[in-house]
C-alpha cells in the first residue's frame, strides 16, 4: 500500500473544471488542422466556382491554368470514381457541378498545385463556359413558383379552420427572420491522405466525422472501412461544419485520389462564405384566432425557408422549426406547414438551434401581435398562453409537456430582473423622452432535446486503462469549444473516482468509435457522456470482481474513492489495482454504447415523442433606440437557463453567454445580402457584422436554474446546453419591438423583421408613427 | 502574380527576442512568415483580410494585424507573438488570467485576444471594463466569450 493522496479529487462531476485545452489555447500550443506541417509531398487545392447564380455548364477550359508553374492537376465531375453526391439527407447533390450550376459559388472543379497560392491563381485562370439562366433568388419568388427542394410538410391538430373562424378575434400577419453566417473563426479545412489499397485518411475540421467517412466513401466508391476520419478540435462549428465540412473533405479526397498525394483544402474567408450554406432565413405567414383576453384558439401558419439550391439539412431544419412553432404556448388547434424553398443561393444548413429559433421567433411575433392588437401587455398574453394543466399540456405534434418549468423560470426571472419596477421606470422614461425610447422584452423558452430522427440518438465510447493506471478516453463527439471532452472526461473520472488529469483526451476518430452521429442538436454530452459512462462501468465491474476475488472481499466491499480502491481491509492506489488486474489477465478495455430511450417520430403524420426532455429558460432584455436614426443598444440582459444538474457550471455559463451573444447577432446586426445577380455581397467581416465585445450588454446577469435535476435519467441528471440559450436572444428582438411600440402607446402592432438592423428599426419607427397618427 | 515577381528578398528582424534572418518573397505577409516560414503557428489566420484580429501580434510593442502587414516592412523591428509570453512552464500572468476566467471556448481567437490586450495595456487604455470592451472590439470571438475575456483583461490590468 502506498501513501494515500488525501486531497479532494480534482475534476468531479458538477464542478467547474477548466476546458481541457484552456492552457494550450492561451499559449498558442493547441494544434488546429492548419497548424501542422503536412505530410511529405503534400499538395494544395483551390476551388473553381461558378461566377453566376444559375446556368448550363457547357465547358471547362483549363489549358492556361494547367500550364501554370507548380500546377499538378484539375479535377472535375468526370474524374469522380464513385457517386457524385454529397447529400447528407436526400440525394442528387453533386460535389462538383455536372451540367448545370445552381448558385454563385457552386464548385465546378478543383485545381491542385504545389503551393496554396499557385492553386488559387490557377483556379482563377480556369475558364468556364456557362449559358446563363434566370435565377430564383428569394423565398417569395420560390413560393410563387412552388419551387421546393422537399415535399411540403404539414403538422395538424384539431379543426384549426373552425377554431379560427369561431374565435372572437382574428388576425393575419407576416414576419421574416434572417439567416446567419456561421463565421467559425477557423474556416473550413480538410487534409486527405491516401494510403495503401486505395484507403483514404481524412483529417478534417468537422462536427460529423462519420458523415465525412460516408461521403468520401461514396465519392471514391470505397466501403466505409477504407476511409478514416480524424478530428482533434475545431475552431468553432456552430452547425456549419456538419454537411458543409463533408463537402470540403470530399473535395480534398477527390484531389488526393487523382494525384495520389496528400492534399489540403482550406477555404479562405470569402470563398468559405460564398460556397458554404448558412442558417436558413424564414418567412412566416399566419392567421390566428383568439379570445378577447388573447388566449389562442386556433393557428394556421406557413413557414417558408430559404433552402438554397439543394436540400442539404433543410428538411430536418424545417421539422425542428415546426416542432418549435409552439415554443412555450399551448396551441389547441393548429395547422403548420413547412416549405423548403429552392433558390439559387448557397445550400443552407445546420446552425445552432437548427430551425428551433426560427419557429420560436415566429410564434413570439404572433403572440405580440395579439397583445398589441388587444392593447394588452405582451407578458400577460404570453403567460395566458403558457402550457399548463387541465389538458393544456400537449404539443401540436402530440408530445406531452411532462416536465414544465415555464411558470417557475418566469417567476424567478421576473423577480430577479426586477421586471415590474423597470417596466414602470421605462414607461416613465419614454413619456419624457421624445427621441430615445427604451424597450423591455421577455422571452420564455422551451426547447426539445434529441435529434428529431430517433436513429441519430446513439452514442459510442471506448475506454482503455493501461497497466500503470492511466486512462485513455475516446468517444464519438467532437470538441469545438463547447467543452464536451472535458465533460465526458469528468464522467469517466467520476466512475473510477480518480483525478481528471489521469484521463487522456484523444482525437475523435471513426477508427475507434464507429457509426456516430454528428455532434449536434445539443446532444453531445447526453449521448457520449452516457456511452463513456457505460464503457467505464464495464471495466469497473471487472475490476470489482477481480479485486473481490483477489483480496477475499465481498463485491460490495470494493469501493473506489479518491484515486484509491478499498477491497475489504486492503487499500491500494488505482494504478496499483490496474497493474495487478493486468498481471492477472483482466481486460482493461471496453466500449460503451447509449441510445436514448422512449423517443419516437412519424415524419408522415408529424407526430410522436421526438424529445427525451425539454430545456427551459427565460430572458429579459432592455434596449434603447434612437427613433430618428434607428440606432439601438442593448442596455441590460438577464438570463436564466435550465441545465438540469449541470455537469460543469463554468462551461455551461460560457455556453449560455456565448449562445445569447450569437443569437443577439442573429436578431440585430447580422445581415446576409445578395445582389440582383445572386452574388452574396456580405462575404467578409467588413460587410457582415457579428457582435463584438462592445455589443455585449453592459449589465449581463446570467444564471443557471438551481435545484432542477433532469427528471429523466440523463447523465448525472444534466441537460443539454449548446443550443437552447441562443433562443433567449429573441428577448432583444422583443425589447426592440416594445421600444417601437411605445411610439403608438403599445396599442399598434409593430412590424419589425429580424435582423432588426438600425435601418429596419428606423423604418419600423416611421411606420409606427404613421399608423399611430391614423388611429 | 507571375513568377518573375517572386524574387526573394532578405529580411532581418527579432521575433520574441530572437534574431532571425530569412529570405522571403516580397508579397509575404508577416502572418505567413510566422506560420509558414518559421513554424510559429500560435498566431491564427481567421480572415486574412484585417478584420477579425485573430492574427494580432505586437511590433515594437504596438498591436497590429499580422495578415495585413508585409513581412519586409518589419526590417529591424521587434515582433512579439503568443509563443514569446510564457517563461518555460510559467504562464504570463495575462495568460493565467485567461485560464482562470474561462476566457475562451474554441480557442481560435485566444492568442489574438491576449496579444491585443497586451497592446492595449501598453497603450495605457485598459482603465475600466467598459473601455476594455470598447478597445477590444477589433478582436472577434464567435464563441461569444467576451464577458470572460474582458474580465480576464481587467483583472490583470487591475482595472
Ligand atoms: S486574420 Fe488578420 S485580421 Fe483576421
Ligand atoms: S473562443 Fe472561439 S472564437 Fe473566441
Amino acid at each position: 500500500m502506498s501513501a494515500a493522496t488525501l486531497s479532494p479529487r480534482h475534476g468531479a462531476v458538477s464542478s467547474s473544471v477548466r476546458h481541457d485545452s484552456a492552457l494550450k489555447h492561451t499559449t498558442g500550443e493547441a494544434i488546429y488542422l492548419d497548424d501542422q506541417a503536412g505530410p511529405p509531398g503534400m499538395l494544395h487545392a483551390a476551388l473553381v466556382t461558378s461566377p453566376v447564380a444559375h446556368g448550363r455548364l457547357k465547358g471547362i477550359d483549363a489549358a492556361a491554368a494547367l500550364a501554370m508553374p507548380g500546377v499538378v492537376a484539375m479535377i472535375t465531375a468526370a474524374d469522380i470514381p464513385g457517386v457524385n453526391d454529397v447529400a447528407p439527407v436526400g440525394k442528387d447533390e453533386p460535389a462538383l457541378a455536372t451540367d448545370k450550376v445552381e448558385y454563385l459559388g457552386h464548385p465546378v472543379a478543383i485545381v491542385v498545385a504545389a503551393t496554396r497560392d499557385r492553386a488559387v491563381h490557377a483556379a482563377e485562370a480556369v475558364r468556364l463556359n456557362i449559358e446563363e439562366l434566370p435565377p430564383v433568388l428569394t423565398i417569395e419568388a420560390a413560393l410563387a413558383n412552388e419551387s421546393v427542394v422537399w415535399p411540403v410538410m404539414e403538422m395538424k391538430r384539431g379543426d384549426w379552420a373552425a377554431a379560427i373562424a369561431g374565435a372572437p378575434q382574428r388576425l393575419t400577419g407576416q414576419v421574416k427572420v434572417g439567416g446567419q453566417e456561421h463565421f467559425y473563426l477557423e474556416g473550413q479545412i480538410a487534409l486527405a491522405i491516401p494510403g495503401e489499397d486505395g484507403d483514404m485518411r481524412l483529417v478534417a475540421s468537422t462536427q460529423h466525422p462519420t458523415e465525412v467517412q460516408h461521403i468520401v466513401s461514396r465519392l471514391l466508391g470505397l466501403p466505409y472501412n477504407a476511409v478514416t476520419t480524424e478530428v482533434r478540435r475545431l475552431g468553432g462549428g456552430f452547425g456549419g461544419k456538419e454537411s458543409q465540412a463533408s463537402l470540403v473533405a470530399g473535395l480534398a479526397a477527390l484531389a488526393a485520389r487523382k494525384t495520389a498525394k496528400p492534399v489540403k483544402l482550406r477555404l479562405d474567408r470569402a470563398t468559405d462564405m460564398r460556397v458554404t450554406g448558412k442558417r436558413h432565413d424564414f418567412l412566416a405567414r399566419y392567421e390566428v384566432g383568439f379570445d378577447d383576453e388573447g388566449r389562442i384558439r386556433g393557428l394556421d401558419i406557413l413557414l417558408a425557408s430559404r433552402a438554397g439550391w439543394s436540400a442539404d439539412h433543410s428538411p430536418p431544419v424545417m421539422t425542428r422549426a415546426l416542432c418549435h412553432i409552439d415554443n412555450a404556448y399551448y396551441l389547441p388547434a393548429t395547422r403548420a406547414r413547412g416549405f423548403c424553398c429552392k433558390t439559387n443561393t448557397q445550400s443552407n444548413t445546420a446552425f445552432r438551434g437548427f430551425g428551433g429559433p426560427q419557429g420560436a421567433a415566429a410564434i413570439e411575433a404572433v403572440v405580440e401581435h395579439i397583445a398589441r392588437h388587444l392593447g394588452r401587455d405582451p407578458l400577460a398574453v404570453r403567460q395566458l398562453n403558457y402550457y399548463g394543466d387541465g389538458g393544456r399540456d400537449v404539443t401540436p405534434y402530440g408530445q406531452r409537456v411532462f416536465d414544465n418549468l415555464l411558470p417557475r423560470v418566469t417567476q424567478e426571472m421576473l423577480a430577479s430582473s426586477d421586471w415590474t419596477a423597470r417596466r414602470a421606470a421605462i414607461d416613465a422614461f419614454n413619456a419624457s423622452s421624445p427621441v430615445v425610447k427604451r424597450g423591455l422584452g421577455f422571452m420564455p423558452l422551451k426547447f426539445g432535446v434529441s435529434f428529431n430522427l430517433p436513429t441519430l440518438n446513439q452514442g459510442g465510447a471506448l475506454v482503455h486503462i493501461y497497466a500503470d493506471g492511466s486512462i485513455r478516453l475516446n468517444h464519438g463527439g467532437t470538441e469545438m469549444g463547447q467543452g464536451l471532452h472535458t465533460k465526458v472526461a469528468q464522467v469517466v473520472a467520476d466512475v473510477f473516482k480518480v483525478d481528471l488529469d489521469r484521463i487522456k483526451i484523444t482525437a475523435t476518430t471513426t477508427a475507434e468509435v464507429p457509426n456516430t452521429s454528428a455532434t449536434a442538436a445539443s446532444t453531445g454530452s447526453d449521448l457520449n457522456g452516457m456511452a463513456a459512462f457505460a464503457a467505464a462501468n464495464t471495466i469497473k465491474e471487472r475490476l470489482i470482481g477481480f479485486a473481490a476475488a483477489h483480496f477475499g472481499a465481498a463485491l460490495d466491499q470494493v469501493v473506489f474513492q479518491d484515486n484509491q480502491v478499498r477491497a475489504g481491509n486492503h487499500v491500494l492506489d488505482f494504478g496499483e489495482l490496474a497493474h495487478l488486474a493486468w498481471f492477472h489477465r483482466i481486460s482493461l478495455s471496453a466500449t460503451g454504447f447509449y441510445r436514448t430511450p422512449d423517443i419516437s417520430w412519424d415524419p408522415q403524420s408529424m407526430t410522436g415523442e421526438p424529445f427525451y426532455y425539454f430545456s427551459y429558460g427565460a430572458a429579459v432584455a432592455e434596449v434603447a433606440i434612437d427613433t430618428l436614426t434607428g440606432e439601438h443598444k442593448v442596455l441590460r440582459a438577464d438570463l436564466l437557463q435550465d441545465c438540469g444538474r449541470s455537469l460543469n457550471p463554468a462551461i455551461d455559463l460560457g455556453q449560455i453567454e456565448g449562445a445569447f451573444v450569437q443569437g443577439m447577432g442573429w436578431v440585430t446586426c447580422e445581415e446576409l445580402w445578395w445582389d440582383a445577380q445572386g452574388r452574396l455581397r456580405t462575404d467578409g467581416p467588413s460587410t457582415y457584422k457579428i457582435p463584438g465585445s462592445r455589443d455585449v450588454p453592459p449589465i449581463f446577469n446570467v444564471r443557471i436554474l438551481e435545484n432542477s435535476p433532469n427528471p429523466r435519467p440523463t447523465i448525472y441528471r444534466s441537460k443539454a446546453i449548446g443550443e437552447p440559450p441562443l433562443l433567449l436572444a429573441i428577448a432583444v428582438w422583443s425589447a426592440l419591438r416594445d421600444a417601437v411600440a411605445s411610439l403608438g402607446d403599445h396599442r399598434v402592432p409593430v412590424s419589425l423583421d429580424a435582423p432588426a438592423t438600425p435601418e429596419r428599426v428606423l423604418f419600423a419607427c416611421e411606420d409606427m408613427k404613421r399608423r399611430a397618427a391614423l388611429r | 502574380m507571375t513568377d518573375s515577381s517572386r524574387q526573394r528578398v532578405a529580411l532581418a528582424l527579432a521575433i520574441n527576442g530572437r534574431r532571425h534572418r530569412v529570405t522571403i518573397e516580397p508579397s509575404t505577409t508577416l502572418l505567413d512568415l510566422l506560420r509558414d516560414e518559421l513554424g510559429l503557428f500560435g498566431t491564427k489566420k481567421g480572415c486574412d483580410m484585417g478584420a477579425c484580429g485573430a492574427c494580432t501580434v505586437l511590433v515594437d510593442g504596438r498591436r497590429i494585424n499580422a495578415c495585413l502587414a508585409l513581412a519586409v516592412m518589419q526590417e529591424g523591428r521587434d515582433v512579439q507573438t503568443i509563443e514569446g509570453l510564457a517563461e518555460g512552464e510559467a504562464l504570463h500572468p495575462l495568460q493565467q488570467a485567461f485560464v482562470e476566467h474561462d476566457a475562451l471556448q474554441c480557442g481560435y481567437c485566444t492568442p489574438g485576444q491576449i496579444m491585443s490586450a497586451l497592446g492595449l495595456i501598453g497603450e495605457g487604455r485598459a482603465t475600466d471594463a467598459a473601455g476594455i470592451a470598447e478597445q477590444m472590439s477589433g478582436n472577434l470571438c464567435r464563441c461569444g466569450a467576451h464577458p470572460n475575456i474582458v474580465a480576464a483583461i481587467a483583472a490583470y490590468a487591475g482595472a
Side-chain angles (χ1 to χ4, degrees):
Chain A
M1 178 183 146
S2 67
T5 28
L6 292 173
S7 61
R9 212 164 50 75
H10 169 252
V13 160
S14 297
S15 71
S16 286
V17 211
R18 305 258 123 77
H19 189 281
D20 74 275
S21 300
L23 215 89
K24 287 181 279 187
H25 285 323
T26 63
T27 59
E29 289 165 310
I31 298 169
Y32 301 82
L33 175 43
D34 204 29
D35 299 342
Q36 316 169 38
M42 181 176 82
L43 302 172
H44 296 262
L47 303 184
V48 180
T49 62
S50 171
V52 300
H54 193 198
R56 258 186 276 281
L57 181 60
K58 296 270 166 103
I60 304 172
D61 176 5
L66 287 170
M68 289 167 75
V71 175
V72 177
M74 183 179 77
I75 294 99
T76 66
D79 296 301
I80 296 177
V83 183
N84 183 11
D85 186 2
V86 294
V89 178
K91 51 180 172 25
D92 299 330
E93 297 176 25
L96 292 171
T98 49
D99 52 345
K100 54 184 185 228
V101 289
E102 302 207 69
Y103 72 105
L104 201 154
H106 200 151
V108 173
I110 313 160
V111 173
V112 188
T115 69
R116 195 171 173 282
D117 267 3
R118 290 178 194 264
V120 168
H121 291 130
E124 284 163 5
V126 173
R127 295 282 154 256
L128 300 179
N129 178 2
I130 296 173
E131 177 194 328
E132 276 197 63
L133 297 168
V136 175
L137 295 174
T138 63
I139 293 177
E140 288 87 344
L143 272 181
N145 293 347
E146 290 180 36
S147 161
V148 287
V149 297
W150 203 259
V152 177
M153 300 179 189
E154 192 164 53
M155 182 184 284
K156 275 196 289 200
R157 165 163 66 185
D159 192 345
W160 48 272
I164 296 171
Q169 305 256 8
R170 278 189 301 279
L171 281 174
T172 57
Q174 166 173 318
V175 65
K176 289 164 88 170
V177 292
Q180 189 174 25
E181 160 66 35
H182 303 85
F183 210 89
Y184 24 62
L185 217 55
E186 176 208 39
Q188 300 275 358
I189 182 166
L191 166 64
I193 307 164
E196 293 181 15
D197 305 324
D199 289 3
M200 193 62 74
R201 187 162 81 89
L202 277 302
V203 189
S205 182
T206 175
Q207 294 173 241
H208 200 345
T210 291
E211 189 186 86
V212 166
Q213 176 194 36
H214 291 184
I215 283 179
V216 168
S217 299
R218 200 191 291 162
L219 290 167
L220 299 185
L222 294 171
Y224 294 163
N225 68 5
V227 179
T228 305
T229 318
E230 183 184 310
V231 52
R232 171 60 184 91
R233 60 170 63 79
L234 291 75
F238 316 115
K241 292 177 182 170
E242 276 193 60
S243 58
Q244 309 298 293
S246 304
L247 168 69
V248 173
L251 296 174
L254 288 172
R257 162 57 73 91
K258 169 109 178 205
T259 58
K261 287 275 167 42
V263 174
K264 188 195 266 188
L265 173 60
R266 173 174 72 76
L267 304 188
D268 60 63
R269 186 58 62 179
T271 305
D272 195 322
M273 292 181 78
R274 277 199 301 263
V275 170
T276 65
K278 300 150 203 332
R279 186 193 293 286
H280 296 73
D281 43 329
F282 268 62
L283 163 74
R285 289 181 183 147
Y286 56 88
E287 180 173 19
V288 61
F290 48 99
D291 67 19
D292 295 328
E293 285 182 289
R295 208 176 274 104
I296 294 173
R297 295 260 181 99
L299 174 71
D300 182 19
I301 191 160
L302 176 156
L303 297 183
S305 68
R306 177 201 296 272
W309 73 278
S310 73
D312 191 272
H313 281 299
S314 299
V317 164
M318 182 56 80
T319 303
R320 183 164 278 271
L322 293 169
C323 285
H324 285 77
I325 198 64
D326 56 338
N327 189 28
Y329 312 114
Y330 175 62
L331 304 173
T334 317
R335 177 174 73 161
R337 288 176 298 160
F339 290 73
C340 302
C341 295
K342 177 168 175 159
T343 53
N344 292 110
T345 48
Q346 293 78 3
S347 190
N348 284 334
T349 190
F351 195 136
R352 204 175 196 172
F354 205 73
Q358 294 95 318
I363 192 68
E364 291 304 316
V366 172
V367 169
E368 292 194 359
H369 192 177
I370 294 171
R372 299 213 165 87
H373 174 78
L374 297 174
R376 295 201 68 193
D377 179 0
L379 175 65
V381 176
R382 284 191 163 96
Q383 287 175 293
L384 196 62
N385 282 290
Y386 273 3
Y387 280 107
D389 305 327
R392 294 177 56 88
D393 63 350
V394 180
T395 63
Y397 47 92
Q399 176 158 5
R400 208 168 69 78
V401 181
F402 67 98
D403 53 0
N404 191 352
L405 292 174
L406 287 163
R408 185 184 157 195
V409 293
T410 301
Q411 205 176 21
E412 286 191 26
M413 176 45 53
L414 294 179
S416 71
S417 67
D418 205 10
W419 173 276
T420 311
R422 283 168 68 208
R423 179 75 266 176
I426 287 169
D427 292 341
F429 173 91
N430 286 342
S432 64
S433 173
V435 173
V436 174
K437 298 288 183 188
R438 293 198 173 181
L440 197 60
F442 188 86
M443 174 68 188
L445 165 71
K446 171 184 122 296
F447 191 86
V449 179
S450 297
F451 289 98
N452 261 82
L453 183 64
T455 303
L456 301 178
N457 295 287
Q458 53 178 307
L462 176 63
V463 174
H464 304 321
I465 302 180
Y466 295 96
D468 64 350
S470 62
I471 300 171
R472 186 181 193 281
L473 164 64
N474 198 273
H475 61 85
T478 57
E479 177 60 48
M480 43 197 162
Q482 84 282 43
L484 175 61
H485 282 356
T486 310
K487 285 183 171 179
V488 178
Q490 280 176 276
V491 168
V492 173
D494 192 76
V495 170
F496 296 117
K497 305 292 180 205
V498 296
D499 287 338
L500 192 61
D501 57 14
R502 194 185 281 268
I503 295 161
K504 172 71 80 185
I505 287 168
T506 54
T508 313
T509 163
T510 55
E512 293 191 39
V513 177
N515 308 321
T516 55
S517 292
T519 305
S522 307
T523 61
S525 54
D526 280 8
L527 299 177
N528 300 293
M530 282 302 252
F533 182 80
N537 270 305
T538 300
I539 305 177
K540 186 179 185 180
E541 268 161 38
R542 288 183 204 141
L543 286 172
I544 290 173
F546 162 72
H550 188 80
F551 295 109
L555 288 177
D556 62 2
Q557 285 181 333
V558 180
V559 179
F560 289 65
Q561 201 176 7
D562 289 341
N563 295 300
Q564 293 185 327
V565 183
R566 179 190 302 275
N569 293 328
H570 297 262
V571 178
L572 64 171
D573 266 0
F574 181 80
E576 288 176 307
L577 176 66
H579 189 269
L580 208 58
W582 162 77
F583 189 82
H584 290 277
R585 297 181 290 173
I586 304 297
S587 164
L588 292 174
S589 174
T591 59
F593 182 76
Y594 176 73
R595 59 164 175 259
T596 312
D598 307 324
I599 47 175
S600 63
W601 181 246
D602 174 9
Q604 258 60 53
S605 64
M606 298 207 76
T607 56
E609 307 236 335
F611 305 124
Y612 191 41
Y613 60 88
F614 294 98
S615 167
Y616 297 90
V620 168
E622 181 176 344
V623 301
I625 64 171
D626 181 327
T627 56
L628 298 181
T629 63
E631 251 184 301
H632 52 75
K633 186 152 179 60
V634 182
L635 303 174
R636 171 173 167 178
D638 294 72
L639 318 182
L640 179 61
Q641 177 65 49
D642 166 27
C643 299
R645 178 172 167 240
S646 170
L647 281 174
N648 185 321
I651 283 177
D652 285 352
L653 278 172
Q655 286 297 297
I656 300 168
E657 293 173 356
F660 179 83
V661 169
Q662 206 169 56
M664 231 175 67
W666 169 56
V667 295
T668 59
C669 58
E670 298 186 33
E671 184 169 32
L672 293 163
W673 199 82
W674 291 265
D675 67 16
Q677 280 69 51
R679 176 181 297 271
L680 179 67
R681 290 293 185 172
T682 47
D683 62 357
S686 51
T687 45
Y688 184 79
K689 160 100 176 85
I690 69 170
S693 48
R694 68 149 78 98
D695 302 308
V696 174
I699 304 174
F700 196 24
N701 300 317
V702 182
R703 284 198 306 124
I704 292 174
L705 186 70
E706 282 168 11
N707 301 322
S708 73
N710 196 334
R712 297 284 207 182
T714 51
I715 187 73
Y716 294 94
R717 302 275 174 180
S718 61
K719 283 193 179 182
I721 191 60
E723 299 168 291
L726 186 135
L727 286 77
L728 294 178
I730 293 171
V732 172
W733 192 37
S734 166
L736 290 166
R737 302 159 87 88
D738 184 60
V740 174
S742 71
L743 293 168
D745 199 24
H746 299 281
R747 307 191 74 83
V748 182
V750 179
S751 91
L752 176 63
D753 292 338
T757 56
E759 194 180 18
R760 285 207 182 89
V761 170
L762 179 61
F763 290 160
C765 289
E766 300 284 312
D767 179 58
M768 177 57 68
K769 289 177 194 163
R770 218 171 13 249
R771 284 192 294 153
L774 289 177
R775 282 169 67 90
Chain B
M1 192 183 317
T2 65
D3 246 37
S4 57
S5 73
R6 293 181 179 236
Q7 203 105 98
R8 293 172 83 87
V9 294
L11 167 69
L13 77 177
I15 296 169
N16 299 325
R18 254 191 70 202
R19 294 189 49 78
H20 286 265
R21 286 182 175 285
V22 289
T23 52
I24 54 167
E25 289 171 13
S27 60
T28 305
T29 63
L30 176 56
L31 179 58
D32 287 342
L33 169 69
L34 293 171
R35 291 178 59 86
D36 301 344
E37 310 276 331
L38 301 176
L40 293 171
F41 290 113
T43 309
K44 304 298 178 208
K45 186 179 275 190
C47 67
D48 215 16
M49 43 174 93
C52 78
C55 64
T56 309
V57 297
L58 300 183
V59 173
D60 293 341
R62 292 175 53 87
R63 46 182 178 160
I64 64 163
N65 289 328
C67 71
L68 278 193
L70 287 178
V72 289
M73 294 182 65
Q74 316 310 320
E75 174 74 36
R77 296 221 167 117
D78 198 352
V79 178
Q80 214 184 347
T81 73
I82 193 72
E83 288 90 349
L85 294 192
E87 307 237 4
E89 292 286 282
L91 293 184
H92 183 284
L94 181 57
Q95 290 173 316
Q96 190 62 43
F98 266 65
V99 172
E100 272 160 22
H101 286 85
D102 296 306
L104 49 90
Q105 290 183 24
C106 81
Y108 212 73
C109 72
T110 312
Q113 301 279 1
I114 291 175
M115 296 316 291
S116 185
L118 278 180
L120 174 66
I121 291 162
E123 292 158 26
R125 295 200 289 170
T127 48
D128 61 9
I132 293 170
E134 187 67 30
Q135 304 293 334
M136 288 296 294
S137 58
N139 286 81
L140 300 181
C141 175
R142 187 44 149 173
C143 298
H146 316 90
N148 294 345
I149 293 171
V150 171
I153 299 168
Y156 167 66

